[in-house]
Coordinates of all heavy atoms in Angstrom, one line a residue:
M17 N 112.9 -97.7 -195.8 CA 112.1 -97.1 -194.6 C 113.1 -96.5 -193.6 O 112.7 -96.3 -192.4 CB 111.3 -98.2 -194.0 CG 110.1 -98.6 -194.7 SD 109.0 -99.4 -193.5 CE 107.8 -99.9 -194.7
S18 N 114.3 -96.3 -193.9 CA 115.3 -95.8 -192.9 C 115.0 -94.4 -192.5 O 115.5 -94.0 -191.5 CB 116.7 -95.9 -193.6 OG 116.8 -95.1 -194.7
N19 N 114.3 -93.6 -193.4 CA 114.0 -92.3 -192.9 C 112.6 -92.2 -192.1 O 112.2 -91.1 -191.9 CB 113.9 -91.4 -194.2 CG 113.0 -91.9 -195.2 OD1 112.6 -93.1 -195.2 ND2 112.8 -91.1 -196.3
L20 N 112.1 -93.3 -191.7 CA 110.9 -93.3 -190.8 C 111.6 -93.3 -189.4 O 111.9 -94.3 -188.9 CB 110.0 -94.5 -190.9 CG 109.1 -94.5 -192.1 CD1 108.3 -95.8 -192.2 CD2 108.1 -93.4 -192.0
T21 N 111.7 -92.2 -188.7 CA 112.5 -92.2 -187.5 C 111.7 -91.8 -186.2 O 112.0 -92.2 -185.2 CB 113.6 -91.2 -187.6 OG1 113.1 -89.8 -187.9 CG2 114.6 -91.5 -188.7
T22 N 110.5 -91.2 -186.4 CA 109.7 -90.8 -185.2 C 108.3 -91.5 -185.3 O 107.9 -91.8 -186.4 CB 109.6 -89.3 -185.1 OG1 108.7 -88.9 -186.2 CG2 110.8 -88.6 -185.2
P23 N 107.8 -91.7 -184.1 CA 106.4 -92.3 -184.0 C 105.4 -91.4 -184.8 O 104.5 -92.0 -185.3 CB 106.2 -92.3 -182.6 CG 107.5 -92.4 -182.0 CD 108.4 -91.6 -182.7
A24 N 105.6 -90.1 -184.8 CA 104.7 -89.3 -185.5 C 104.7 -89.5 -187.0 O 103.7 -89.5 -187.6 CB 105.0 -87.8 -185.2
Q25 N 105.9 -89.8 -187.6 CA 106.0 -90.1 -189.0 C 105.3 -91.5 -189.2 O 104.8 -91.6 -190.3 CB 107.4 -90.1 -189.4 CG 108.0 -88.7 -189.5 CD 109.5 -88.8 -189.8 OE1 110.2 -89.7 -189.3 NE2 109.9 -87.9 -190.6
L26 N 105.4 -92.3 -188.3 CA 104.8 -93.7 -188.6 C 103.3 -93.6 -188.4 O 102.6 -94.4 -189.0 CB 105.3 -94.7 -187.5 CG 106.8 -95.1 -187.7 CD1 107.2 -96.0 -186.5 CD2 106.9 -95.9 -189.0
A27 N 102.7 -92.7 -187.7 CA 101.4 -92.7 -187.4 C 100.6 -91.5 -188.1 O 99.5 -91.2 -187.8 CB 101.1 -92.4 -185.8
A28 N 101.2 -90.9 -189.2 CA 100.6 -89.8 -189.8 C 99.4 -90.4 -190.6 O 99.5 -91.3 -191.2 CB 101.6 -89.3 -190.9
P29 N 98.2 -89.8 -190.4 CA 96.9 -90.3 -190.9 C 96.9 -90.0 -192.5 O 96.0 -90.8 -193.1 CB 95.8 -89.6 -190.2 CG 96.5 -88.3 -189.8 CD 98.0 -88.6 -189.5
L30 N 97.6 -89.1 -193.0 CA 97.5 -88.8 -194.4 C 98.9 -88.8 -194.9 O 99.8 -88.2 -194.4 CB 96.9 -87.4 -194.6 CG 95.5 -87.2 -194.1 CD1 95.1 -85.7 -194.4 CD2 94.5 -88.1 -194.9
V31 N 99.1 -89.4 -196.2 CA 100.4 -89.4 -196.8 C 100.3 -89.2 -198.3 O 99.3 -89.5 -198.9 CB 101.2 -90.8 -196.5 CG1 101.6 -91.0 -195.1 CG2 100.4 -91.9 -197.1
T32 N 101.4 -88.7 -198.9 CA 101.4 -88.5 -200.3 C 101.4 -89.8 -201.0 O 101.8 -90.8 -200.4 CB 102.6 -87.6 -200.8 OG1 103.8 -88.4 -200.5 CG2 102.6 -86.3 -200.2
R33 N 101.1 -89.8 -202.3 CA 101.2 -91.0 -203.2 C 102.6 -91.6 -203.2 O 102.8 -92.8 -203.0 CB 100.8 -90.7 -204.6 CG 99.4 -90.3 -204.7 CD 99.1 -89.8 -206.1 NE 97.6 -89.3 -206.2 CZ 97.0 -89.1 -207.2 NH1 97.6 -89.3 -208.4 NH2 95.7 -88.7 -207.2
E34 N 103.6 -90.7 -203.3 CA 105.0 -91.1 -203.4 C 105.4 -91.7 -201.9 O 106.1 -92.7 -202.0 CB 105.9 -89.9 -203.7 CG 105.6 -89.3 -205.0 CD 104.5 -88.4 -205.3 OE1 103.8 -88.0 -204.1 OE2 104.0 -88.1 -206.3
R35 N 105.0 -91.1 -200.9 CA 105.3 -91.7 -199.6 C 104.6 -93.0 -199.4 O 105.3 -93.9 -198.8 CB 104.9 -90.7 -198.5 CG 105.3 -91.1 -197.1 CD 106.8 -91.0 -197.0 NE 107.2 -91.4 -195.7 CZ 108.1 -92.3 -195.4 NH1 108.8 -92.9 -196.4 NH2 108.4 -92.8 -194.2
F36 N 103.5 -93.1 -199.8 CA 102.8 -94.4 -199.5 C 103.5 -95.4 -200.5 O 103.7 -96.6 -200.0 CB 101.3 -94.3 -200.0 CG 100.5 -95.5 -199.8 CD1 100.0 -95.9 -198.5 CD2 100.2 -96.4 -200.8 CE1 99.3 -97.0 -198.3 CE2 99.5 -97.6 -200.7 CZ 99.1 -97.9 -199.4
A37 N 103.8 -95.2 -201.6 CA 104.5 -96.1 -202.5 C 105.8 -96.6 -201.9 O 106.2 -97.8 -201.9 CB 104.8 -95.5 -203.9
E38 N 106.4 -95.7 -201.3 CA 107.8 -96.0 -200.6 C 107.5 -96.8 -199.4 O 108.3 -97.9 -199.1 CB 108.5 -94.6 -200.2 CG 109.8 -94.9 -199.4 CD 110.3 -93.5 -198.9 OE1 110.2 -92.6 -199.6 OE2 110.8 -93.5 -197.8
M39 N 106.4 -96.5 -198.6 CA 106.1 -97.3 -197.4 C 105.8 -98.7 -197.7 O 106.1 -99.6 -197.0 CB 105.0 -96.7 -196.7 CG 105.3 -95.4 -196.0 SD 103.9 -94.4 -195.4 CE 103.2 -95.6 -194.1
V40 N 105.0 -98.9 -198.8 CA 104.6 -100.4 -199.1 C 105.5 -101.1 -200.1 O 105.3 -102.2 -200.4 CB 103.1 -100.3 -199.6 CG1 102.3 -99.9 -198.5 CG2 102.9 -99.6 -200.8
G41 N 106.4 -100.3 -200.7 CA 107.4 -101.0 -201.7 C 106.8 -101.2 -203.1 O 107.1 -102.1 -203.7
L42 N 105.8 -100.3 -203.5 CA 105.3 -100.4 -204.8 C 105.7 -99.2 -205.7 O 105.9 -98.2 -205.1 CB 103.8 -100.4 -204.8 CG 103.1 -101.7 -204.2 CD1 101.6 -101.4 -204.1 CD2 103.4 -102.9 -205.1
P43 N 105.7 -99.3 -207.0 CA 106.0 -98.1 -207.8 C 104.9 -97.2 -207.7 O 103.7 -97.5 -207.5 CB 106.0 -98.7 -209.3 CG 106.2 -100.2 -209.1 CD 105.7 -100.5 -207.8
V44 N 105.1 -95.9 -207.9 CA 104.2 -94.8 -207.7 C 103.0 -95.0 -208.8 O 101.9 -94.8 -208.5 CB 104.8 -93.5 -208.0 CG1 103.7 -92.3 -208.0 CG2 105.8 -93.2 -206.7
G45 N 103.4 -95.5 -210.0 CA 102.3 -95.7 -211.0 C 101.4 -96.7 -210.6 O 100.1 -96.6 -210.9
V46 N 101.7 -97.8 -209.8 CA 100.8 -98.8 -209.4 C 99.9 -98.2 -208.4 O 98.6 -98.4 -208.3 CB 101.5 -100.0 -208.8 CG1 100.7 -101.0 -208.0 CG2 102.4 -100.8 -209.8
V47 N 100.5 -97.3 -207.4 CA 99.6 -96.7 -206.4 C 98.6 -95.8 -207.1 O 97.4 -95.8 -206.7 CB 100.5 -95.9 -205.5 CG1 99.6 -95.1 -204.4 CG2 101.4 -97.0 -204.6
V48 N 99.0 -95.0 -208.0 CA 98.1 -94.2 -208.8 C 97.0 -95.0 -209.4 O 95.8 -94.6 -209.4 CB 98.9 -93.3 -209.9 CG1 97.9 -92.6 -210.7 CG2 99.8 -92.4 -209.2
G49 N 97.3 -96.1 -210.0 CA 96.4 -97.0 -210.6 C 95.3 -97.5 -209.6 O 94.1 -97.5 -209.8
Q50 N 95.8 -97.8 -208.3 CA 94.8 -98.3 -207.3 C 94.0 -97.2 -206.8 O 92.8 -97.5 -206.5 CB 95.7 -98.9 -206.1 CG 96.4 -100.2 -206.6 CD 97.3 -100.7 -205.4 OE1 97.7 -99.9 -204.4 NE2 97.7 -101.9 -205.5
I51 N 94.5 -96.0 -206.8 CA 93.7 -94.8 -206.5 C 92.6 -94.6 -207.5 O 91.4 -94.3 -207.1 CB 94.5 -93.5 -206.3 CG1 95.4 -93.6 -205.1 CG2 93.7 -92.3 -206.1 CD1 96.5 -92.6 -204.9
I52 N 93.0 -94.6 -208.8 CA 92.0 -94.4 -209.8 C 90.9 -95.5 -209.8 O 89.7 -95.3 -210.0 CB 92.6 -94.5 -211.1 CG1 93.5 -93.2 -211.3 CG2 91.7 -94.5 -212.4 CD1 94.5 -93.2 -212.6
K53 N 91.2 -96.8 -209.4 CA 90.3 -97.8 -209.3 C 89.4 -97.8 -208.1 O 88.5 -98.6 -207.9 CB 91.0 -99.2 -209.5 CG 91.5 -99.5 -210.9 CD 92.2 -100.8 -210.9 CE 92.7 -101.0 -212.3 NZ 93.4 -102.3 -212.4
G54 N 89.8 -96.9 -207.1 CA 89.0 -96.8 -205.9 C 89.5 -97.7 -204.8 O 88.9 -97.8 -203.7
Y55 N 90.7 -98.4 -204.9 CA 91.1 -99.3 -204.0 C 91.7 -98.6 -202.7 O 91.7 -99.1 -201.6 CB 92.2 -100.2 -204.6 CG 91.7 -101.1 -205.6 CD1 92.6 -101.6 -206.6 CD2 90.4 -101.5 -205.8 CE1 92.1 -102.4 -207.6 CE2 90.0 -102.3 -206.8 CZ 90.8 -102.8 -207.8 OH 90.4 -103.6 -208.7
L56 N 92.2 -97.4 -202.9 CA 92.9 -96.7 -201.9 C 92.1 -95.3 -201.6 O 91.9 -94.6 -202.6 CB 94.3 -96.3 -202.3 CG 95.4 -97.5 -202.4 CD1 96.6 -97.0 -203.0 CD2 95.5 -98.3 -201.2
P57 N 91.8 -95.1 -200.4 CA 90.9 -93.9 -200.1 C 91.8 -92.6 -200.0 O 93.0 -92.7 -199.6 CB 90.4 -94.2 -198.7 CG 91.4 -95.1 -198.0 CD 91.9 -95.9 -199.2
T58 N 91.4 -91.6 -200.7 CA 92.1 -90.3 -200.7 C 91.2 -89.2 -200.2 O 90.0 -89.2 -200.2 CB 92.6 -90.0 -202.1 OG1 91.3 -89.8 -202.9 CG2 93.4 -91.0 -202.7
V59 N 92.0 -88.2 -199.8 CA 91.4 -86.9 -199.3 C 92.1 -85.8 -200.1 O 93.3 -85.8 -200.3 CB 91.6 -86.7 -197.7 CG1 91.3 -85.3 -197.3 CG2 91.0 -87.8 -197.1
T60 N 91.3 -84.9 -200.6 CA 91.8 -83.8 -201.4 C 91.8 -82.6 -200.5 O 90.8 -82.2 -199.9 CB 91.0 -83.5 -202.6 OG1 91.0 -84.7 -203.5 CG2 91.6 -82.3 -203.5
I61 N 93.1 -82.0 -200.3 CA 93.2 -80.8 -199.5 C 93.9 -79.8 -200.5 O 95.0 -79.8 -200.9 CB 94.0 -80.9 -198.3 CG1 93.4 -82.1 -197.4 CG2 94.2 -79.6 -197.6 CD1 94.3 -82.4 -196.2
G62 N 93.0 -78.8 -201.0 CA 93.5 -77.8 -201.9 C 93.8 -78.5 -203.2 O 93.1 -79.3 -203.8
K63 N 95.1 -78.4 -203.7 CA 95.5 -79.0 -204.9 C 96.2 -80.4 -204.6 O 96.6 -81.1 -205.6 CB 96.5 -78.1 -205.7 CG 97.7 -77.8 -205.1 CD 98.6 -76.9 -206.0 CE 99.9 -76.7 -205.3 NZ 100.8 -75.9 -206.1
Y64 N 96.3 -80.7 -203.4 CA 96.9 -82.1 -203.0 C 96.0 -83.2 -202.8 O 94.9 -83.0 -202.2 CB 97.8 -81.9 -201.8 CG 98.8 -80.8 -202.0 CD1 98.7 -79.5 -201.4 CD2 100.0 -81.1 -202.7 CE1 99.6 -78.5 -201.6 CE2 101.0 -80.1 -202.9 CZ 100.8 -78.8 -202.4 OH 101.8 -77.9 -202.5
S65 N 96.2 -84.3 -203.2 CA 95.5 -85.5 -203.0 C 96.4 -86.5 -202.2 O 97.4 -86.9 -202.6 CB 95.2 -86.2 -204.4 OG 94.5 -87.4 -204.2
L66 N 95.9 -86.8 -201.0 CA 96.6 -87.6 -200.0 C 95.8 -88.9 -199.8 O 94.6 -88.9 -199.7 CB 96.8 -86.8 -198.7 CG 97.5 -85.5 -198.9 CD1 97.4 -84.6 -197.7 CD2 98.9 -85.5 -199.3
I67 N 96.6 -89.9 -199.4 CA 96.0 -91.1 -199.1 C 95.7 -91.2 -197.6 O 96.5 -90.9 -196.8 CB 97.0 -92.3 -199.4 CG1 97.2 -92.3 -200.9 CG2 96.5 -93.6 -198.9 CD1 98.3 -93.3 -201.4
N68 N 94.5 -91.6 -197.3 CA 94.0 -91.7 -196.0 C 94.3 -93.0 -195.3 O 93.6 -94.0 -195.6 CB 92.4 -91.4 -196.0 CG 91.9 -91.3 -194.6 OD1 92.4 -91.7 -193.6 ND2 90.7 -90.6 -194.5
L69 N 95.4 -93.0 -194.6 CA 95.8 -94.3 -193.9 C 94.9 -94.8 -192.9 O 94.7 -96.0 -192.7 CB 97.2 -94.1 -193.4 CG 98.4 -93.9 -194.3 CD1 99.6 -93.7 -193.6 CD2 98.5 -95.0 -195.3
E70 N 94.2 -93.8 -192.1 CA 93.3 -94.3 -191.1 C 92.1 -95.0 -191.7 O 91.7 -96.1 -191.2 CB 92.9 -93.1 -190.3 CG 94.0 -92.5 -189.4 CD 94.6 -93.6 -188.5 OE1 93.8 -94.4 -187.8 OE2 95.8 -93.6 -188.4
L71 N 91.5 -94.5 -192.8 CA 90.5 -95.1 -193.4 C 90.8 -96.5 -194.1 O 90.1 -97.5 -194.0 CB 89.8 -94.2 -194.5 CG 88.5 -94.7 -195.1 CD1 87.4 -95.2 -194.2 CD2 88.0 -93.7 -196.1
L72 N 92.0 -96.6 -194.6 CA 92.6 -97.8 -195.1 C 92.7 -98.9 -194.0 O 92.4 -100.0 -194.3 CB 93.8 -97.5 -195.8 CG 94.6 -98.7 -196.6 CD1 93.6 -99.2 -197.6 CD2 95.8 -98.3 -197.2
R73 N 93.2 -98.4 -192.9 CA 93.3 -99.4 -191.8 C 92.0 -99.9 -191.3 O 91.9 -101.1 -191.0 CB 94.0 -98.8 -190.6 CG 95.6 -98.5 -190.8 CD 96.2 -97.9 -189.6 NE 97.5 -97.6 -189.8 CZ 98.1 -96.4 -189.7 NH1 97.4 -95.4 -189.3 NH2 99.4 -96.2 -190.0
A74 N 91.1 -99.0 -191.2 CA 89.7 -99.4 -190.7 C 89.0 -100.3 -191.7 O 88.5 -101.3 -191.3 CB 88.8 -98.1 -190.6
R75 N 89.2 -100.1 -193.1 CA 88.7 -101.0 -194.1 C 89.4 -102.4 -194.0 O 88.7 -103.5 -194.0 CB 89.0 -100.4 -195.5 CG 88.0 -99.3 -195.9 CD 88.4 -98.9 -197.3 NE 87.6 -97.8 -197.7 CZ 87.7 -97.2 -198.9 NH1 88.6 -97.6 -199.7 NH2 87.0 -96.2 -199.2
C76 N 90.7 -102.3 -193.8 CA 91.4 -103.7 -193.7 C 90.9 -104.4 -192.4 O 90.7 -105.6 -192.5 CB 92.8 -103.4 -193.6 SG 93.6 -102.8 -195.1
L77 N 90.7 -103.7 -191.3 CA 90.2 -104.4 -190.0 C 88.9 -104.9 -190.2 O 88.6 -106.0 -189.8 CB 90.3 -103.5 -188.9 CG 91.7 -103.2 -188.4 CD1 91.7 -102.1 -187.2 CD2 92.4 -104.5 -187.9
A78 N 88.0 -104.2 -190.9 CA 86.7 -104.6 -191.1 C 86.6 -105.9 -192.0 O 85.8 -106.8 -191.7 CB 85.8 -103.5 -191.7
K79 N 87.4 -105.9 -193.0 CA 87.5 -107.1 -193.9 C 88.0 -108.3 -193.2 O 87.6 -109.4 -193.4 CB 88.3 -106.8 -195.2 CG 87.5 -106.1 -196.2 CD 88.1 -106.4 -197.5 CE 87.3 -105.9 -198.6 NZ 87.1 -106.7 -199.7
E80 N 89.0 -108.1 -192.4 CA 89.7 -109.2 -191.7 C 88.7 -110.0 -190.8 O 88.8 -111.2 -190.6 CB 90.9 -108.7 -190.9 CG 91.7 -109.7 -190.2 CD 92.9 -109.2 -189.5 OE1 93.5 -108.2 -190.0 OE2 93.3 -109.8 -188.5
F81 N 87.8 -109.2 -190.1 CA 87.0 -109.8 -189.1 C 85.6 -110.1 -189.6 O 84.7 -110.5 -188.8 CB 86.9 -109.0 -187.8 CG 88.3 -109.0 -187.2 CD1 89.0 -107.8 -187.2 CD2 88.9 -110.1 -186.6 CE1 90.3 -107.8 -186.6 CE2 90.2 -110.1 -186.1 CZ 90.9 -108.8 -186.0
A82 N 85.3 -109.7 -190.8 CA 83.9 -109.8 -191.4 C 83.6 -111.3 -191.7 O 84.3 -112.1 -191.9 CB 83.7 -108.9 -192.5

């Protein structure tokens, strides 16, 4: 995580599969599997599929207090 240097990079609402895998310390293949199973919310923009961190945070907060 040494290349996370600015608050904007920490607060980006959408990240690539590779970036998310790096952030959470999982292999990219595991992240792809979680996306296929529907565990991680994604947004498709053109040919890119990005993980929606804001929706993931909201889901985690809702589960925590439910």
Side-chain angles (χ1 to χ4, degrees):
M17 282 202 188
S18 62
N19 49 348
L20 285 178
T21 56
T22 66
Q25 288 174 319
L26 290 171
L30 302 173
V31 294
T32 64
R33 296 169 181 195
E34 294 80 13
R35 183 71 182 126
F36 183 79
E38 180 184 322
M39 289 168 63
V40 297
L42 292 173
V44 174
V46 172
V47 171
V48 170
Q50 291 176 342
I51 291 169
I52 290 169
K53 290 180 180 180
Y55 298 152
L56 296 173
T58 60
V59 173
T60 302
I61 301 175
K63 65 179 182 178
Y64 299 101
S65 177
L66 303 169
I67 297 174
N68 185 338
L69 293 180
E70 290 304 313
L71 182 54
L72 183 59
R73 284 184 188 121
R75 286 182 184 176
C76 290
L77 287 173
K79 276 206 173 220
E80 184 176 329
F81 298 110

